[in-house]
Amino acid sequence: MAADSATPTLERLLRNRIAVEGPLDFSGFMAAALYHPESGYYARQARQVGRGGDFFTSVSVGPLFGSLLARRFVRWWQEAGCPQYWRIIESGAHDGTLAADILAALWQLSPAAVAGLEYAIAEPLPRLQAAQRETLQPFAACVRLLADPAELASQPLPGIAFGNEVLDALPCHVVEWQADGWHLCRVGCAADRRFCWDSVLPVTDPAQLAALAPLGGGFPLGYRSELRTGFGGFLAPLLASLSSGLLLWLDYGFARPEYYHPARQQGTLRTFSRHRAADDPLHAPGEIDITAHVDFTAVAESAIALGCRPLLFRNQGSWLTQVAREWLLAMEGRPDAELLRQFAMLTHPAQLGGRFHALELAWNDPLPASPSAADSHRLAIA
Ligand SMILES: C[S@@+](CC[C@H](N)C(=O)[O-])C[C@H]1O[C@@H](n2cnc3c(N)ncnc32)[C@H](O)[C@@H]1O
């Protein structure tokens, strides 16, 4: 075991907590496993993404992803009337690679837009912030690294808040359907000291009950899934930092009817280690990634409750193809094989294009845009 291995400390800490407090809510277990300030999976180093890490993201495919996001951001900036000062806030920026790809492309696409841009990254974990500082050294003049997005709220600017594969990394509850309704699954410690699923408790928390209410009932007994109730708390400080703007979330997930489909009896909780997926999230806390798909309807509803308007919900393939239209047209007759390879991976339905989705929302935006009927229908929101 490596000298800096976190497992003994984190496992001991979680065992002690269970001994004192009793079985843990899974979201508390996941929060510690991923984000414990010293021993959490993301706190220990910044090499989780990419070939030498545990999983790939769209960023690992190459710089095209960031350059297409930059096109979408410039289009927003132009439609917003080219504000002199504006802000992009990235959440879950990991080691800063996506930010560097976006900033390099923004310089090429529109130096005028970059002139008044503040690119802010909210990152509470010191090792990730150090990695971001190093990666983004060439762009230091416009980059602002913060521990908490609330630090921006005293000076809101027009702009964009976005993240790629951050919502799936937010801790979730595990819920189980029983004859008398939904229960919370809790984590205990077995006689052999391994973590195990322990007792379940009926859901009584009003916020959790409200989040579960739209699912209705009649699921197969023992049906398990995940529930995140923290989207509002995640979005609120970002919105407070923007006087108006665009929210963009890219991730794997579904709209609610597909997420909680009765046939998906064991939910979407997965672990990743060395590019291998497994389904025991209680194994080796701090050593492996834990993730669950995103219920995009819940994200949209939380944002609507805070005053946002949903604009679109598409799979990544269709969203990126729309964003890339001008770039694709400009390439006609002189195709770049490497960039087209990246585009195919990002958009192909059997690769990242089908599993991933993009959700866009407007915030304090004077433009009279509203979600298309198709987007509202797919998100199952009114
Ligand atoms: C899967 S990684 C994201 C990878 C990166 N965006 C990419 O596309 O390659 C998830 C990241 O989200 C970060 N994260 C989780 N919760 C967060 C929060 N509340 N605010 C900001 N970042 C968060 C984690 O620290 C981790 O770096």
Side-chain angles (χ1 to χ4, degrees):
M1 195 167 278
D4 75 337
S5 176
T7 305
T9 323
L10 190 57
E11 287 196 353
R12 202 176 318 124
L13 196 139
L14 285 164
R15 271 192 213 104
N16 288 347
R17 234 177 107 181
I18 291 170
V20 174
E21 296 173 23
L24 284 179
D25 178 348
F26 178 74
S27 77
F29 180 90
M30 181 169 169
L34 295 183
Y35 305 115
H36 182 277
E38 284 94 41
S39 313
Y41 173 74
Y42 281 113
R44 293 169 53 214
Q45 36 109 344
R47 292 191 299 274
Q48 294 88 352
V49 183
R51 195 170 297 282
D54 291 324
F55 53 88
F56 290 117
T57 69
S58 294
V59 182
S60 326
V61 171
L64 181 68
F65 183 63
S67 104
L68 293 178
L69 290 190
R71 282 180 180 270
R72 175 66 188 101
F73 296 167
V74 168
R75 184 158 67 79
W76 174 84
W77 179 75
Q78 290 166 340
E79 286 171 358
C82 307
Q84 186 180 2
Y85 297 109
W86 64 301
R87 170 179 286 153
I88 296 174
I89 313 171
E90 182 179 354
S91 299
H94 198 249
D95 66 357
T97 302
L98 178 57
D101 291 343
I102 290 171
L103 283 162
L106 282 174
W107 273 107
Q108 296 263 323
L109 288 167
S110 177
V114 181
L117 170 68
E118 176 182 82
Y119 195 106
I121 296 178
E123 178 56 69
L125 297 174
R127 287 210 177 144
L128 289 183
Q129 196 174 90
Q132 291 158 9
R133 183 165 286 111
E134 195 181 323
T135 309
L136 295 168
Q137 186 56 37
F139 306 100
C142 67
V143 169
R144 184 164 167 193
L145 303 179
L146 317 135
D148 185 341
E151 292 172 45
L152 301 166
S154 61
Q155 210 182 15
L157 289 174
I160 295 162
F162 85 102
N164 182 58
E165 288 203 39
V166 60
L167 301 181
D168 71 87
L170 299 181
C172 58
H173 300 285
V174 173
V175 289
E176 185 174 288
W177 178 257
Q178 299 206 343
D180 56 346
W182 289 105
H183 289 60
L184 279 183
C185 299
R186 302 190 302 163
V187 180
C189 197
D192 64 3
R193 296 163 57 80
R194 284 189 214 181
F195 297 105
C196 59
W197 291 109
D198 194 283
S199 46
V200 296
L201 271 188
V203 175
T204 53
D205 177 83
Q208 293 166 4
L209 285 171
L212 289 163
L215 309 188
F219 291 90
L221 285 184
Y223 176 96
R224 275 194 181 191
S225 192
E226 307 84 30
L227 178 73
R228 286 191 177 93
T229 50
F231 291 130
F234 173 78
L235 296 174
L238 300 172
L239 296 177
S241 309
L242 298 176
S243 50
S244 63
L246 175 76
L247 263 63
L248 168 64
W249 304 106
L250 294 138
D251 221 312
Y252 37 86
F254 317 104
R256 181 176 289 141
E258 201 181 337
Y259 198 111
Y260 296 99
H261 194 283
R264 199 186 308 285
Q265 296 214 14
Q266 293 302 318
T268 69
L269 205 52
R270 298 281 177 276
T271 64
F272 282 91
S273 179
R274 306 268 164 213
H275 299 280
R276 291 214 172 151
D279 56 11
D280 180 4
L282 308 184
H283 170 69
E287 295 281 324
I288 56 176
D289 184 32
I290 307 176
T291 169
H293 283 43
V294 175
D295 171 0
F296 278 100
T297 306
V299 181
E301 285 176 349
S302 299
I304 291 167
L306 292 166
C308 295
R309 263 175 322 114
L311 296 176
L312 64 78
F313 177 58
R314 305 274 157 81
N315 70 41
Q316 178 167 295
S318 130
W319 184 79
L320 276 180
T321 303
Q322 189 186 3
V323 169
R325 198 167 170 276
E326 281 179 22
W327 171 72
L328 288 167
L329 287 173
M331 227 182 3
E332 263 187 18
R334 46 189 181 94
D336 179 318
E338 168 53 23
L339 290 180
L340 283 177
R341 181 196 68 79
Q342 292 179 30
F343 187 69
M345 275 193 84
L346 293 168
T347 56
H348 195 286
Q351 301 204 22
L352 299 165
R355 270 189 307 129
F356 284 71
H357 283 81
L359 173 66
E360 286 191 3
L361 301 120
W363 166 241
N364 274 347
D365 185 340
L367 297 175
S370 58
S372 74
D375 289 316
S376 290
H377 176 70
R378 293 198 55 218
L379 280 166
I381 52 173

